Amino acid sequence: MPAPVDLGPAEATRVVTRVLAPLAAQGAIVRRPRMTAWAERHQTDRTARAVLMRLRARHHGAPLALRLGTRRLVVVTEPDDVRRVLDGTPEPFTPATKEKRAALAHFQPEGLLISSAADRARRRPFNEAVLQADQPVHGDAEPMVRAVERAAATLASAIRGTGRLDATTFADTWWQIVLEVTLGPRARADQELVDALGVLRGDANWSYLHPRRRELCRWLHHRIESYATTAEPGSLVAAAHDRDPDTAPGQVPHWLFAFDAAGAATLRALAVVQARPGERDRVLAGAEAEAGGEGPALLPYGRACVLESLRLWPTTLAVLRDSTRPTTWGGRTLPAGTGFAVVSAFFHRDPERLEHADAWAPEAWLDGRNDADWGLVPFSGGPASCPGRNLVLLVASHLLARLAAQDLRTERGEHLARDPLPATVDHLGLRFRLGAPWA
Ligand code: HEM
């Protein structure tokens, strides 16, 4: 394992301006529409990948160290280093980094991701249990899939009325599903809650540069508690309240926030599937083959499409860790408090490791190729990996299958109809038309 190399000023500037700044500009906690459109126009992920590939070659795979103000940040470029950092969570590499703590405290001060080691020991098993992290199909999948079916049916009739689907209409439907799955049917139309969360997430984008709206954060907490104390069976909050009523409300804001990313991934997957007739047939055939069994189906191909969307266009732009004590790398010791970054778009599209780097290849999630690769981390990896992974794939694959059944075409979808796929796709700009000719 090579020792981290200190980048020279020109190299460090390139990493900051071409890799890190575009990620931060798009909004780590809630995307800024103007910036995501800008990122697509400039294909910022392509540039970021090129910069990191050049630096990896020049420094023979050594981790790249640079200064960010008073902080030292190390950008890793090899899967073995990704593994060391993620497997070494929460000690000596904590996910509760300085930046994340400041950002997430705006709306989820008790969230697992920013918890101390002592709180983590309690909150992680709680999250795993309620989200049923190790179950491909959640025990409450039936009411969850019913929520998807209901929302998809309403959306389908709206699409038949207008002949179109855009990202805003999709997001409204997605939030109905998220609210029902998380807080129960009574919450389905709670726009006030969605708006409050949106305001707090907007503040969180600015991390410690924005003052905290403690009153609004408390309001959100109480609103969630009101659903928790009168919880309807089948929702996540009901299961959470049953398990531990004190821990439950503090964890729910993260679940609501994180579901947003799944909506973006589903919409991008839909855009590719509806631009490629063969893919659409495969998604529909997969759903048909699984229909009629007992309880909601697993939909392996639909899940693989959502995973592939997350590989190609990761929604967690960088996975970050801080070291809690000095760590030694190839003979060099870095002090406690060093930041580590795994830039997802670089690892997920690395042509030196992946022959399908820029191609649509859901089958690589089914035949085990992608599972063996520590560089593919849409849901992170190791002891702090996403406990919501299976739940997300369940809800997203069922919605994808239902929307694939609509006769939709991706507008201006030529660039998604064939490989290589674009490095950056602004999901907020995606649009679909009913019954138009294939691209
Ligand atoms: C497409 C959707 C999602 C993606 C891509 C995703 C990805 C991730 C990633 C990369 C992490 C690790 C972050 C880090 O290390 O800084 C994470 C953590 C987490 N996710 Fe997700 N997530 C998604 C949706 C969800 C949902 C819907 C839930 C809950 C319902 C959830 C619950 C969590 C929790 C509780 C953690 C913290 C884990 C820990 O710190 O031990 N996620 N997620």
Side-chain angles (χ1 to χ4, degrees), residues 394-413:
L394 174 80
V395 174
S397 60
H398 275 268
L399 183 61
L400 179 66
R402 271 152 192 87
L403 293 184
Q406 302 300 311
D407 191 23
L408 289 168
R409 305 285 182 277
T410 311
E411 266 186 29
R412 293 193 302 276

Side-chain angles (χ1 to χ4, degrees), residues 244-300:
D244 179 352
D246 295 330
T247 304
Q251 304 308 303
V252 175
H254 184 92
W255 304 346
L256 293 168
F257 143 74
F259 257 125
D260 200 13
T266 311
L267 192 60
R268 289 193 184 105
L270 182 69
V272 176
V273 165
Q274 300 295 48
R276 301 182 184 211
E279 281 307 294
R280 179 174 178 247
D281 290 347
R282 248 164 256 147
V283 170
L284 294 177
E288 251 166 53
E290 294 241 335
E294 233 176 69
L298 183 65
L299 306 186

Side-chain angles (χ1 to χ4, degrees), residues 110 126 221 225 228-229 237-250:
E110 294 163 27
F126 175 86
H221 197 93
E225 227 168 12
T229 48
V237 85
H241 188 72
D242 281 353
R243 180 160 288 270
D244 179 352
D246 295 330
T247 304

Side-chain angles (χ1 to χ4, degrees), residues 95 100 112-113 120 124 127 131 236 254-255 258-259 261-262 265 310 315-316 319-321 377-380 383-388 391-392:
K100 251 186 271 180
L112 169 60
L113 202 46
R120 165 169 287 278
R124 174 79 199 185
N127 273 271
L131 304 175
L236 292 176
H254 184 92
W255 304 346
F259 257 125
L310 285 165
T315 52
T316 305
V319 181
L320 304 174
R321 296 287 181 268
V377 286
F379 289 98
S380 185
S385 66
C386 178
L391 185 61
V392 163

Side-chain angles (χ1 to χ4, degrees), residues 25-48:
Q26 289 176 71
I29 307 299
V30 65
R31 296 292 186 265
R32 301 181 174 110
R34 264 200 255 165
M35 296 317 291
T36 51
W38 167 85
E40 181 182 280
R41 267 199 314 281
H42 294 273
Q43 291 292 302
T44 52
D45 289 322
R46 190 173 55 208
T47 312

Side-chain angles (χ1 to χ4, degrees), residues 307-391:
L307 281 164
E308 187 61 350
S309 161
L310 285 165
R311 179 185 71 81
L312 290 158
W313 302 291
T315 52
T316 305
L317 306 177
V319 181
L320 304 174
R321 296 287 181 268
D322 277 358
S323 58
T324 55
R325 53 176 140 88
T327 55
T328 302
W329 301 73
R332 178 176 176 188
T333 300
L334 297 171
T338 301
F340 292 84
V342 177
V343 177
S344 318
F346 163 69
F347 279 103
H348 288 193
R349 295 274 196 127
D350 181 0
E352 289 176 14
R353 275 182 18 260
L354 306 167
E355 55 181 28
H356 54 285
D358 291 324
W360 177 253
E363 60 284 355
W365 291 103
L366 296 170
D367 61 20
R369 261 180 293 164
N370 288 351
D371 293 337
D373 189 324
W374 265 91
L376 297 179
V377 286
F379 289 98
S380 185
S385 66
C386 178
R389 183 184 197 269
N390 274 322
L391 185 61

